[in-house]
Amino acid sequence: MARQIPEGERFFNFEDAQKLKRSFLLACELFEDYQFVQLPTLEVYSPESWGLSPFLIGTQTNRNILALRSDWTLSLMRFLNSLREVQLPLRVFYWGPVFSPKEMERFQMGIELIGVPFPEGEYEVIKRLVDYLKAMGLEGLSVILGHTQIVKGLCKDEDAKERLRKKNFYGLREEDPLYHLLRAYGGEKVLEEFSERFKEYSSQCEELRHLGSLLREAGVKVFYDLSEVRLQEYYTGIVFEVFHPEVGYPVAGGGRYDGLFLSSKAVGGAVYLDLLLEVL
Amino acid sequence: MKYALRIALPKGRLFEETLEFFKSKGILEETFEEGRRLQVRVGDYEFLLVKPFDVPVYVENGVADLGVVGYDVLLEREPEVYELYDLGIGFCRLVIAGKEERLEQYRKASFLRVATKYPKITREFFLEKGIKTKVIYLHGSVELAPLLNLSDVIMDLVQTGRTLKENNLVVFEEISSSTARLICNRASYRNKKDEIFSFLSKVQRERPKEAIQPHPRAT
């Protein structure tokens, strides 16, 4: 029989494996004040507590359905829920793969900060992730900020979200809020214009402006894009993505997800390591 | 001087219409021929002349910042790109077609052999209907397949319907319509924001009246 590599399977050559190793060691060093978590790769599937497209792999004798970990944040929440006592604020970092039927196996390094309100939580997560990327040798990074409440408030249906996801400007009239969401992309000026028009979102715009100026003071390049949509449903506040000039996808992303663990305030974000391998 | 934007253009069906469109919007002063040159530099833009199905490949991987491509190709390939704008040109339809006398058989069929350039769209279309298919993937002259009984029907792009007619084929069913779209690389959208948005605003400009042509929409 001919030897075949299944489609979607990826072998990391020694060089790439070395880069991944370095990414882990560097995370251990830079996030020393965070607790490292090691969570199960195999989880028992339950539809209500699951993220995007689960990677189901079989059943157990007791008829549990098993799935591979699809989202570190959700897995961490399940773990925290199993603890009898959690001291807040809690800082954790993780390193390892997540699985989905479409993309198979993706490596992530991420941090979660639980029990810290706005803006300290957002600031710390974004700043620390950008510092981590810089320590890996990446330059020219820029951070894009958006706000879940604005998108959720102005998008009536899935079609509208899909439009934002595809940045589809076609046929939008000025009366359509999507028109203004898509154009609200740039520096502080676009925020001002947007909050002028949509006064009901001025507090969200103020949050964005405040966080942006904190990050800029710390030397981070920040833009706003109010049309930014993240796939995960659990975000409740500011979301962010980090871009590198030579990579066509965000290299890191995350946001605020209050109320996912009990009623705690929480912010998290992850670096998408395998997308970075070619520029490291 | 370095170009501001690199734009992938589809050779063939959409090429001339796209350049006329760019000219009417003031993006180009003069159109140019689809010749042997694969890279054409005009002012701030560098155009790449590639096969239609390759346009999203160049854009997705960031070799080109923008691209013009038919919606049919986007449906088939589902590239990870932004779909900024519907240029409204190059209107055509994705249809199932076959020999007229086979229509009755097509309606009742639970298994079909379908020749097409669009295997993915074809599979999904029939999957939804619960019809099993054998998809026969061809690169061109798809109309030949049902004539020689290589397939029962074809799934193809139809602009005027002339090719179908000349080969004695009729449209059985329409899957979707298609027009040319302006697509954008996701990193370019971030890193070349000003250039992209200036291009987009030119595309959105009202056309001078005399340049407006009616859709060649065949009903």
Side-chain angles (χ1 to χ4, degrees):
Chain A
M1 212 178 87
R3 283 205 320 167
Q4 276 188 338
I5 300 176
E7 199 181 315
E9 187 181 64
R10 172 169 185 183
F11 286 126
F12 291 107
N13 60 26
F14 291 122
E15 222 170 74
D16 284 345
Q18 177 68 21
K19 287 177 189 169
L20 284 172
K21 175 183 150 196
R22 221 186 104 229
S23 77
F24 177 63
L25 293 176
L26 197 64
C28 294
E29 192 186 317
L30 290 187
F31 298 105
E32 220 184 349
D33 50 334
Y34 282 57
Q35 307 207 51
F36 179 60
V37 281
Q38 180 67 60
L39 297 174
T41 309
L42 267 180
E43 304 180 323
V44 174
Y45 173 73
S46 61
E48 63 278 4
S49 67
W50 220 262
L52 312 155
S53 51
F55 201 133
L56 303 178
I57 57 162
T59 53
Q60 272 177 310
T61 43
N62 59 3
R63 283 189 268 175
N64 277 339
I65 298 171
L66 297 177
L68 296 172
R69 171 181 53 232
S70 67
D71 185 311
W72 275 102
T73 305
L74 292 176
S75 297
L76 177 69
M77 293 309 125
R78 281 164 19 101
F79 165 62
L80 294 181
N81 277 321
S82 76
L83 299 177
R84 254 190 256 166
E85 205 178 307
V86 178
Q87 285 276 346
L88 298 182
L90 176 71
R91 292 175 162 78
V92 300
F93 87 93
Y94 56 80
W95 185 97
V98 287
F99 304 87
S100 74
K102 194 176 165 208
E103 302 183 310
M104 299 280 278
E105 188 176 13
R106 308 291 295 270
F107 278 79
Q108 296 185 350
M109 192 299 297
I111 58 178
E112 311 282 348
L113 192 48
I114 296 145
V116 182
F118 175 86
E120 293 83 8
E122 283 85 349
Y123 173 79
E124 178 171 335
V125 167
I126 295 172
K127 177 75 170 63
R128 298 287 293 259
L129 287 180
V130 169
D131 286 347
Y132 173 76
L133 287 166
K134 279 187 190 158
M136 300 258 284
L138 298 177
E139 281 165 31
L141 299 165
S142 53
V143 173
I144 303 274
L145 299 179
H147 207 299
T148 313
Q149 287 161 14
I150 301 178
V151 169
K152 279 193 180 154
L154 290 176
C155 280
K156 304 258 164 352
D157 48 29
E158 273 307 308
D159 266 6
K161 271 195 192 162
E162 185 59 23
R163 240 174 196 278
L164 293 188
R165 214 169 276 141
K166 290 284 184 195
K167 310 289 180 215
N168 187 343
F169 287 75
Y170 179 70
L172 290 176
R173 291 168 186 282
E174 214 168 312
E175 307 87 80
D176 197 326
L178 296 185
Y179 175 95
H180 300 283
L181 275 179
L182 281 167
R183 271 170 185 71
Y185 167 37
E188 250 175 56
K189 200 162 146 258
V190 299
L191 274 187
E192 278 166 32
E193 284 167 7
F194 187 85
S195 69
E196 188 72 15
R197 188 179 294 270
F198 297 92
K199 294 217 163 55
E200 63 274 33
Y201 294 108
S202 53
S203 69
Q204 284 86 352
C205 289
E206 176 52 29
E207 276 189 13
L208 287 164
R209 195 204 55 76
H210 185 45
L211 177 64
S213 67
L214 286 177
L215 287 167
R216 276 192 207 101
E217 273 167 38
V220 179
K221 202 158 116 199
V222 179
F223 294 102
Y224 304 100
D225 182 355
L226 298 189
S227 72
E228 200 49 56
V229 191
R230 310 249 328 136
L231 290 170
Q232 292 86 348
E233 281 292 324
Y234 50 70
Y235 290 115
T236 58
I238 287 182
V239 289
F240 68 91
E241 289 189 332
V242 184
F243 283 86
H244 179 271
E246 281 160 45
V247 185
Y249 307 92
V251 296
R256 175 169 288 282
Y257 52 93
D258 291 349
L260 197 59
F261 171 60
L262 305 177
S263 58
S264 300
K265 300 202 169 298
V267 187
V271 171
Y272 313 129
L273 293 167
D274 38 22
L275 297 180
L276 285 179
L277 290 176
E278 54 181 305
V279 285
L280 284 178
Chain B
M1 198 188 77
K2 208 172 139 51
Y3 56 85
L5 287 174
R6 200 187 245 169
I7 304 167
L9 297 180
K11 297 206 276 189
R13 183 177 70 87
L14 281 174
F15 185 78
E16 224 170 286
E17 217 176 331
T18 303
L19 289 188
E20 285 296 335
F21 176 83
F22 282 173
K23 191 177 159 191
S24 76
K25 299 285 185 181
I27 293 165
L28 285 176
E29 272 176 34
E30 279 308 316
T31 61
F32 50 85
E33 296 277 301
E34 176 186 335
R36 285 172 201 280
R37 281 184 308 166
L38 302 177
Q39 281 168 290
V40 179
R41 176 71 189 266
V42 183
D44 272 348
Y45 308 121
E46 180 175 271
F47 294 99
L48 304 179
L49 278 52
V50 301
K51 286 248 184 191
F53 272 93
D54 293 341
V55 169
V57 180
Y58 283 84
V59 176
E60 185 173 14
N61 291 296
V63 176
D65 303 299
L66 293 171
V68 174
V69 65
Y71 185 59
D72 55 310
V73 176
L74 293 180
L75 275 181
E76 177 66 26
R77 292 291 159 88
E78 293 191 332
E80 294 283 344
V81 294
Y82 290 142
E83 295 169 30
L84 296 184
Y85 211 72
D86 184 339
L87 302 183
I89 57 171
F91 183 88
C92 46
R93 298 174 297 152
L94 282 167
V95 302
I96 307 290
K99 291 202 275 191
E100 196 163 10
E101 63 266 28
R102 293 282 196 104
L103 180 59
E104 201 53 31
Q105 185 208 347
Y106 170 75
R107 287 204 177 120
K108 291 179 190 154
S110 58
F111 174 81
L112 284 169
R113 296 170 301 153
V114 191
T116 187
K117 278 189 280 190
Y118 305 88
K120 186 173 153 290
I121 304 175
T122 304
R123 260 187 219 111
E124 278 169 10
F125 177 73
F126 285 111
L127 195 68
E128 221 159 85
K129 291 181 173 287
I131 299 169
K132 287 208 165 76
T133 49
K134 179 185 178 192
V135 173
I136 298 160
Y137 178 51
L138 297 175
H139 280 83
S141 304
V142 181
E143 294 83 3
L144 201 54
L147 301 180
L148 304 177
N149 203 21
L150 173 63
S151 73
D152 300 312
V153 291
I154 61 171
M155 195 293 248
D156 204 12
L157 201 62
V158 177
Q159 200 159 12
T160 57
R162 222 175 57 209
T163 318
L164 285 187
K165 214 170 186 181
E166 280 172 13
N167 290 290
N168 296 316
L169 299 175
V170 296
V171 172
F172 286 177
E173 211 169 342
E174 182 172 328
I175 295 182
S176 167
S177 58
S178 170
T179 45
R181 307 292 164 97
L182 180 70
I183 59 172
C184 177
N185 174 263
R186 303 210 289 187
S188 302
Y189 190 79
R190 303 296 173 199
N191 300 319
K192 295 188 177 176
K193 175 179 174 283
D194 294 341
E195 293 90 335
I196 301 271
F197 271 68
S198 126
F199 190 89
L200 186 60
S201 71
K202 284 179 192 164
V203 166
Q204 288 172 303
R205 258 202 305 243
E206 285 297 316
R207 276 204 253 185
K209 277 230 159 61
E210 67 271 22
I212 296 179
Q213 285 164 4
H215 263 324
R217 186 194 294 259
T219 41

